[in-house]
Amino acid sequence: MPRQLNNMEKQQKTVPIHALSVHGPFSNLTDREKLYAHYMAKAAWSGTRIILRQVSPESNAIFDLVLELFKICRKLFAGDWYELAEACRVTKAEIEAFLDYGATFLSNIGNYYGSGDQKFRPGLKVESMEAISHVSNKTERLLHSVAQAMYSPQPSSLGFPGNEAQSAYYPSDLAFTKEEVADVSNILEQSGVLPENTRIRKKMQGGEVIYEVLQASSLVDPHVQTLKLGDDDRTVRVVKGDHAHELTAICRHLREASQFAANEIQKKFLDQYIKSFESGDLEVYKESQKSWIKDTAPRVENIFGFVEPYRDPFGIRAEFEGLVAISDAGETKLLSRLVDESSKFIKQLPWAQGFLENNGKGPFEKALFEPPDFSSIHTLAYCSSIIFAGINLPNYNDIRQDCGFKNLIIANRMTAESNSSAISPFIDPPDVSIFQKHKYPAYYIWVVLHELLGHGTGKMMCEGEHGKFNFDIEHPPIDPLTGDSINLWYRPGQTWTGVFADLATTVDECRAELVGAYLMDNKNLLGLFGFNSSSEISPEDITYNVYLQLGVDGLRGLQNFNIEAGSWGQAHSRAHFAILKCLLRDGKGFMKIDCDSSHDQLRVRVDRSRIISDGKPALAGMLLKLHMYRCTADVKSCRSYYEDLSQVEGEYSEWRRIVLAKKQPKWVFVQANTFLDGDEVILKEYEPTPEGVIQSWAEREL
């Protein structure tokens, strides 16, 4: 696994900043590979303003404000922010608060946290911000246009548009209901228009309700596709050209990169990316994903497209993402050993228990687990509102089941977990050093299992065209939850995300987390990573640490619950709290949360001797339920079970209050840039400081 950070690399800041260093892997690339990586990175960063537009109406202007202030500081004050502060008559603390805000905004690509979807505001008074903006007419105008949105506490989160939340996926001044979104989404599905690269704008025209489906494409088509919603007077229009400027730049850089592609497969998926981004056709994009899967173990890896639907409150529209990274052969070799032995671990999962068929994996698992491409990579350019430690793609289940998928571990993101600034307030102080020492290896293995076996297992029970089924409809498999034959499955044209809607992403992440945690007591598996009876950290230490992390993550997830709106702001946070609640309910007391309200203190307690006897069975019960609901399209049972487990009331509300009182600043990441010096590609890395973060973004010239 990637090495942990040494003390010299750890930065203790008001805002914790982690440098996604890539110097070593980049230096090992050939000149041709460096040119390919350079142009791919340019393409990735060119998607920044798409993400800003998807986050909030004010985000693009705030982005311009922060970077314009940087340019002025560099031009007039030689880059010395304290001289700028003196000229503007603000204090050192006030300019540092602005720098913290600017770095946090840029790292999250918007004014809502990528992890949690909660709004954050500047830590200096609006009067001080105005004083800083007076440095030029342009910055003064920019601040005037966004000051109210920057400083207003509402909307406080991303979600269905209302008093407490907003969503730029539905940019309209008119009231927009969930039912309306469902109606428009259904007619799009019936018309073969995939939703991932769309937004919906509602407006009135001549007394008629018009829903404009804004489809991302660089080409603007004057021929608008018009659809009718049932028998009423509402009309749906599919309008191409959303994000046209940014997609044009992305396609230009992808064409430049294609000249330096390593093989024909790379040229093929780059051409398919371009065709999809130009036309807005997601069927072409799906073909690109089939090609991308075949590009196994590339030296320079990538992800492009409208990928993750976490931030769409309806759960189907996706945020743009661009990732370019460099593989590490040594780290990947370790992961390959796990892939080679994965089938035997799949047989130990709860839904395989008691079944002899399908080579011991049971009817709710694929007959053949195709070993996926599993790589450890170091990100060069990760243009996304959230920097994930692990990735499993593509998200299209038909491609995953028929063609396969890729697993990626972001090694230089992983190392942030070893940074001492991330110490949890929910662990007893005497135990913190041991918890922290064991946390990184335990977390690393957990994420690996989450991606490989969490997202990589399971078989959807489906009815295809012409009455064909992927199971024996005459003798349906037995549901281990009921003991009876299954009576639900996916009907023709139905998909996992379409059926489960807003539940899909959080249930999928919850299930993947459970798979990883469930297997974390397997000594053979832990032995693959070097943890055995003779290692300094024992397998039992790793297992114990993961269960502590389950408790800590569950508590920490409460900070992303909006109690006024009664909604969750992040799929993973909701999943973590649901798991904690399950362990407390069904774990027979092996885990407890000690709450001292008078001192705003919460402590996670785990009885190490009862993990296997009581903790693991509780995980197994929850995992089996979610797996079966997912396999059989049983959204009704899933919603009843999962919404109960993720409901925050009673003592959990008090825990949330304490969690918010102990809220720790979220990670900010600083990333490298590449520049051309003739035919040579130069890598530039930046200091892990707020100034370094802002400089890195300014030098991308977006």
Side-chain angles (χ1 to χ4, degrees):
M1 67 185 72
R3 67 180 180 85
Q4 299 190 48
L5 297 179
N6 60 50
N7 289 330
M8 294 297 291
E9 294 172 298
K10 297 176 180 177
Q11 297 288 328
Q12 298 293 335
K13 297 284 183 182
T14 304
V15 176
I17 300 178
H18 180 71
L20 295 175
S21 178
V22 72
H23 174 75
F26 185 81
S27 65
N28 292 328
L29 295 179
T30 65
D31 290 345
R32 182 183 179 87
E33 289 167 341
K34 288 178 181 178
L35 285 164
Y36 178 69
H38 167 73
Y39 287 114
M40 291 292 281
K42 294 279 284 184
W45 293 122
S46 294
T48 298
R49 290 187 183 273
I50 298 178
I51 299 172
L52 291 168
R53 197 172 295 117
Q54 291 178 308
V55 172
S56 69
E58 63 271 13
S59 282
N60 262 293
I62 298 174
F63 181 82
D64 290 336
L65 173 64
V66 173
L67 296 191
E68 185 64 24
L69 283 169
F70 171 86
K71 292 175 185 176
I72 291 170
C73 182
R74 173 177 273 186
K75 180 179 179 180
L76 300 182
F77 305 100
D80 190 327
W81 286 97
Y82 297 115
E83 284 194 18
L84 183 149
E86 187 175 344
C88 296
R89 298 186 177 182
V90 298
T91 66
K92 178 181 177 181
E94 287 169 331
I95 199 67
E96 288 176 346
F98 163 74
L99 292 171
D100 282 350
Y101 176 78
T104 303
F105 175 90
L106 293 170
S107 184
N108 287 276
I109 313 186
N111 59 331
Y112 290 77
Y113 286 115
S115 176
D117 296 342
Q118 303 296 313
K119 186 176 183 178
F120 57 89
R121 294 175 287 160
L124 68 163
K125 293 180 180 179
V126 67
E127 293 81 7
S128 300
M129 190 69 237
E130 288 172 344
I132 294 171
S133 76
H134 290 333
V135 74
S136 82
N137 290 333
K138 184 175 181 179
T139 52
E140 200 168 14
R141 288 195 305 270
L142 283 168
L143 179 63
H144 180 74
S145 70
V146 295
Q148 183 174 355
M150 282 176 68
Y151 279 89
S152 174
Q154 300 297 338
S156 60
S157 64
L158 300 180
F160 273 107
N163 294 330
E164 305 290 339
Q166 68 89 19
S167 174
Y169 289 104
Y170 307 99
S172 175
D173 294 330
L174 301 177
F176 219 144
T177 67
K178 295 182 181 181
E179 291 73 24
E180 287 177 291
V181 175
D183 288 344
V184 175
S185 298
N186 288 337
I187 195 67
L188 291 176
E189 182 179 344
Q190 294 167 21
S191 303
V193 178
L194 295 172
E196 287 86 353
N197 65 345
T198 65
R199 300 188 297 155
I200 305 176
R201 179 167 58 206
K202 179 183 177 182
K203 64 182 187 179
M204 296 294 295
Q205 185 173 312
E208 181 184 4
V209 177
I210 305 291
Y211 301 100
E212 287 188 338
V213 177
L214 309 177
Q215 189 176 57
S217 68
S218 66
L219 301 177
V220 179
D221 189 345
H223 302 291
V224 175
Q225 183 180 359
T226 301
L227 308 168
K228 276 292 183 181
L229 275 179
D231 298 326
D232 56 30
D233 294 328
R234 297 179 297 165
T235 299
V236 176
R237 295 176 180 169
V238 181
V239 182
K240 293 182 179 292
D242 204 17
H243 317 302
H245 179 76
E246 293 79 19
L247 288 168
T248 298
I250 291 168
C251 291
R252 181 176 69 252
H253 294 309
L254 291 176
R255 286 190 179 93
E256 292 169 323
S258 185
Q259 300 175 59
F260 305 100
N263 53 56
E264 292 303 314
I265 295 175
Q266 290 183 357
K267 290 180 180 179
K268 183 176 181 179
F269 67 64
L270 289 177
D271 182 61
Q272 290 166 327
Y273 286 167
I274 292 167
K275 288 179 179 176
S276 174
F277 295 156
E278 286 180 339
S279 67
D281 188 341
L282 287 182
E283 291 297 341
V284 176
Y285 180 73
K286 290 180 71 173
E287 291 302 312
S288 79
Q289 297 302 279
K290 296 175 184 177
S291 301
W292 175 71
I293 293 166
K294 296 175 183 176
D295 186 32
T296 57
R299 291 290 300 277
V300 180
E301 185 58 276
N302 80 94
I303 294 168
F304 276 88
F306 295 84
V307 179
E308 299 292 358
Y310 297 126
R311 300 184 107 174
D312 173 21
F314 202 69
I316 56 176
R317 290 171 177 84
E319 189 171 87
F320 185 84
E321 183 175 326
L323 166 70
V324 182
I326 303 164
S327 66
D328 186 296
E331 295 167 3
T332 297
K333 186 176 180 180
L334 172 62
L335 298 176
S336 297
R337 292 174 58 198
L338 175 62
V339 171
D340 291 341
E341 299 195 33
S342 54
S343 287
K344 71 180 183 183
F345 300 124
I346 293 173
K347 295 176 186 178
Q348 298 174 31
L349 294 171
W351 55 88
Q353 303 302 308
F355 289 103
L356 298 177
E357 62 190 277
N358 193 16
N359 195 26
K361 292 181 289 188
F364 303 103
E365 189 55 66
K366 294 183 288 290
L368 179 64
F369 180 78
E370 291 286 352
D373 187 27
F374 203 163
S375 299
S376 179
I377 58 177
H378 295 250
T379 178
L380 169 66
Y382 199 160
C383 185
S384 172
S385 63
I386 182 169
I387 307 297
F388 289 107
I391 299 170
N392 178 288
L393 290 174
N395 285 331
Y396 297 102
N397 275 308
D398 55 338
I399 298 177
R400 297 170 62 81
Q401 292 205 150
D402 297 338
C403 305
F405 52 90
K406 283 189 181 186
N407 285 300
L408 303 171
I409 294 297
I410 316 298
N412 51 350
R413 164 63 180 87
M414 274 283 192
T415 54
E417 299 305 318
S418 67
N419 195 313
S420 61
S421 66
I423 289 173
S424 172
F426 309 126
I427 299 294
D428 268 335
D431 298 332
V432 162
S433 61
I434 293 296
F435 174 78
Q436 200 66 18
K437 179 180 178 181
H438 299 172
K439 178 188 175 186
Y440 174 67
Y443 177 77
Y444 180 86
I445 300 170
W446 188 11
V447 170
V448 167
L449 295 174
H450 170 115
E451 301 300 341
L452 176 64
L453 301 180
H455 288 309
T457 54
K459 177 183 177 181
M460 307 293 198
M461 302 290 106
C462 297
E463 176 185 355
E465 295 181 355
H466 311 300
K468 293 184 178 180
F469 295 79
N470 67 347
F471 61 95
D472 186 351
I473 189 62
E474 298 298 326
H475 303 90
I478 301 300
D479 185 339
L481 295 177
T482 65
D484 297 323
S485 298
I486 65 167
N487 56 16
L488 293 171
W489 52 82
Y490 294 88
R491 306 296 175 173
Q494 287 187 330
T495 64
W496 153 248
T497 52
V499 171
F500 282 76
D502 58 309
L503 283 182
T505 53
T506 184
V507 169
D508 208 33
E509 293 303 329
C510 187
R511 179 185 165 281
E513 289 285 64
L514 287 165
V515 169
Y518 180 80
L519 292 171
M520 285 293 286
D521 68 310
N522 189 296
K523 289 185 170 57
N524 291 331
L525 189 154
L526 296 176
L528 294 175
F529 293 89
F531 299 102
N532 51 48
S533 58
S534 60
S535 59
E536 180 184 358
I537 300 176
S538 71
E540 291 79 11
D541 291 334
I542 295 292
T543 305
Y544 177 58
N545 188 274
V546 165
Y547 278 82
L548 283 173
Q549 287 192 55
L550 286 169
V552 168
D553 287 350
L555 290 176
R556 194 169 57 184
L558 283 167
Q559 69 186 3
N560 294 323
F561 179 74
N562 186 321
I563 204 159
E564 291 82 11
S567 62
W568 285 92
Q570 219 273 342
H572 298 76
S573 297
R574 184 178 183 182
H576 290 150
F577 177 70
I579 293 171
L580 169 62
K581 204 167 174 182
C582 167
L583 291 174
L584 295 173
R585 282 186 179 183
D586 302 337
K588 301 178 181 179
F590 96 102
M591 177 184 285
K592 296 179 180 178
I593 304 297
D594 287 347
C595 177
D596 182 350
S597 295
S598 61
H599 294 92
D600 284 350
Q601 183 173 291
L602 293 166
R603 292 287 185 264
V604 178
R605 312 283 187 196
V606 172
D607 186 337
R608 185 167 175 154
S609 68
R610 296 172 56 198
I611 288 174
I612 306 303
S613 62
D614 297 319
K616 187 173 183 177
L619 288 184
M622 184 178 186
L623 175 54
L624 183 60
K625 287 185 176 70
L626 295 186
H627 182 77
M628 292 308 305
Y629 298 152
R630 179 177 182 267
C631 287
T632 60
D634 189 357
V635 65
K636 182 179 179 181
S637 297
C638 186
R639 187 171 295 279
S640 174
Y641 176 71
Y642 196 74
E643 289 187 347
D644 177 57
L645 271 184
S646 54
Q647 187 176 357
V648 180
E649 79 290 307
E651 65 177 335
Y652 305 121
S653 299
E654 173 62 9
W655 292 2
R656 176 184 176 275
R657 182 192 67 78
I658 297 173
V659 168
L660 290 174
K662 299 288 186 180
K663 188 175 181 180
Q664 296 172 298
K666 296 178 184 286
W667 279 111
V668 166
F669 297 97
V670 59
Q671 301 187 55
N673 285 321
T674 56
F675 302 93
L676 282 180
D677 183 4
D679 293 331
E680 183 181 2
V681 180
I682 306 299
L683 179 76
K684 182 174 181 179
E685 297 193 322
Y686 300 83
E687 291 295 319
T689 62
E691 298 92 325
V693 174
I694 296 171
Q695 182 183 353
S696 71
W697 278 94
E699 294 183 356
R700 288 174 192 134
E701 298 183 342
L702 304 170

